[in-house]
Amino acid sequence: PLKDLSMDLASLDLDGMVNEMNRALPIMLDDFLNHITSKYELPNSAMERMKRMLEYNVPGGKYYRGTMVLNSVKTICLETGVDPSKFAGHAMIIAWCIEILQACFLVADDIMDRSETRRGKPCWYLLPDIGLDGANDSLLLESFVYFLIRRYFKDHPAQHSLM
């Protein structure tokens, strides 16, 4: 699956990086949901709700953190004469891990602060069928980060440091 996340990082500007992030996210979401489906016997309604939660809370930010990761990898590689595409897939995973972790914090923070809107729409916990179950959803977002690290950095020497 890492090859599905490959890109010509050297040629991308910030808008191109955001586009690549938006292209990569559904691949990672499907991977996570397929993993959960294969490992746990959850009813379809639970899986549909989890997918809805991920699609509602993860995309749509400004992607500052994620593009900073991608741009840093690009810059370091180009400065040292290394092809950035060699690290593009792993960089994309880390970029999304940071964005997903931010979403995790925002979902929890919105509940604690009783916020009403996030990213131009009602906060997740304010949706009629969510409520304080949103606190558990913030933990699911965190587990998505750990899944991505275990899945895509399985044999990588940095896996334990990333955890």
Side-chain angles (χ1 to χ4, degrees), residues 8-14 17 67-85 87-88 91:
D8 182 14
L9 189 54
S11 69
L12 296 177
D13 61 9
L14 289 178
M17 290 176 189
T67 55
M68 192 179 331
V69 170
L70 297 176
N71 202 42
S72 295
V73 169
K74 172 185 171 178
T75 301
I76 291 167
C77 286
L78 292 177
E79 291 285 324
T80 58
V82 175
D83 180 6
S85 64
F87 300 100

Side-chain angles (χ1 to χ4, degrees), residues 11-147:
S11 69
L12 296 177
D13 61 9
L14 289 178
D15 288 336
M17 290 176 189
V18 169
N19 290 337
E20 284 297 316
M21 288 182 72
N22 285 324
R23 181 188 66 81
L25 181 60
I27 296 167
M28 291 182 274
L29 287 175
D30 286 346
D31 198 16
F32 182 55
L33 293 169
N34 288 336
H35 168 75
I36 290 173
T37 301
S38 69
K39 189 166 181 170
Y40 305 102
E41 294 181 23
L42 297 176
N44 286 340
S45 60
M47 293 306 300
E48 289 168 9
R49 185 184 179 289
M50 189 176 311
K51 181 177 183 193
R52 178 176 158 228
M53 182 273 297
L54 292 166
E55 290 174 345
Y56 193 90
N57 290 295
V58 174
K62 296 178 216 109
Y63 300 122
Y64 289 153
R65 293 161 188 82
T67 55
M68 192 179 331
V69 170
L70 297 176
N71 202 42
S72 295
V73 169
K74 172 185 171 178
T75 301
I76 291 167
C77 286
L78 292 177
E79 291 285 324
T80 58
V82 175
D83 180 6
S85 64
K86 179 178 178 183
F87 300 100
H90 282 113
M92 181 62 76
I93 297 297
I94 297 300
W96 269 116
C97 283
I98 291 170
E99 292 290 334
I100 295 163
L101 194 58
Q102 175 68 9
C104 161
F105 296 148
L106 292 175
V107 168
D109 185 66
D110 287 344
I111 294 169
M112 289 183 271
D113 293 347
R114 295 185 179 104
S115 298
E116 294 183 9
T117 60
R118 172 69 59 196
R119 297 176 176 167
K121 54 189 179 185
C123 292
W124 176 247
Y125 82 98
L126 288 176
L127 298 183
D129 57 331
I130 305 304
L132 293 179
D133 287 348
N136 290 330
D137 293 330
S138 71
L139 298 174
L140 285 171
L141 287 163
E142 184 180 14
S143 72
F144 186 20
V145 171
Y146 292 122
F147 165 80

Side-chain angles (χ1 to χ4, degrees), residues 145-159:
V145 171
Y146 292 122
F147 165 80
L148 290 171
I149 293 169
R150 280 191 309 272
R151 171 98 161 114
Y152 291 97
F153 288 84
K154 181 177 155 185
D155 298 317
H156 196 280
Q159 181 196 19

